[in-house]
Amino acid sequence: MKILIADDHALIVAAVQAKLAQLGEDVEFRCAGRLDELFAAAGEAPDLALVDLAMPGARDCEHIARLRERHPALPLIVLSGSDDPSLIRALLDLGVRGYLPKAYNAEILLSAVRLVLVGGTYIPPIVLGLPGFSGSLEKAALPHDSADALELLQRQLTERQIEVLRLLSQGKPNKLIARELGICEGTVKIHLAAVFRVLKVHNRTEAVVMVNSLDGLYGDAVRDAAAARGHSAR
């Protein structure tokens, strides 16, 4: 896998590269500190690009728009020091697959990259609840193939974990999930930890967004997986 990191700050490039090395031993990195290096490297067909919004010589989002025009199939994550909702919206409308404020920690970076690599779009949680960030943006936040979603759930989650995920997607707290399934809250937490690992999220809020976005695609997959488990058990 080839990953392009474009930022004129060497420390940021080094930190991003060090964290993304956890994706696997076969990851190759190409780094760019200038716009000409960025466009040259993008032409070498990387699997993913992380690009600083404020690179020297860049005017607003122009270099991002040019990248999208020249390489529309390239998954692109924008790195920025800004968390301005209007800016985030404009970039997502350009078709970028993620927006990551530089104030976020390295674990969020890794999770965002993993989400993008499987076909999703990472949207910062700070904007998901704001006016103008419902609907189309939330729908873009996940891998969009329901068959792949269903296969993932059936392969990596147990029947009980799928049931916990279904109830979580309905907004139920741990106490109600435990009561409905006849288990203790501690067991619910154990199942949720496994669910979070599979979905590559850090908490229940991110998991609910992942499950219920895209017009309920994942919610449908959860229900289908739960039904399939129950049928096979019979």
Side-chain angles (χ1 to χ4, degrees), residues 109-121:
L109 165 68
L110 186 59
S111 294
V113 166
R114 283 173 169 160
L115 177 61
V116 170
L117 287 173
V118 297
T121 298

Side-chain angles (χ1 to χ4, degrees), residues 4-45:
L4 167 60
I5 305 172
D7 196 298
D8 62 308
H9 293 90
L11 288 177
I12 290 178
V13 172
V16 171
Q17 182 172 334
K19 191 61 184 179
L20 296 188
Q22 295 183 22
L23 292 170
E25 296 181 356
D26 61 339
V27 178
E28 298 179 8
F29 295 98
R30 177 70 185 272
C31 303
R34 304 191 311 268
L35 289 181
D36 59 335
E37 295 175 343
L38 166 62
F39 289 111
E44 298 176 2

Side-chain angles (χ1 to χ4, degrees), residues 174 178 183-192:
N174 290 355
I183 57 180
C184 67
E185 286 189 60
T187 302
V188 172
K189 292 179 180 179
I190 293 173
H191 289 318
L192 285 176

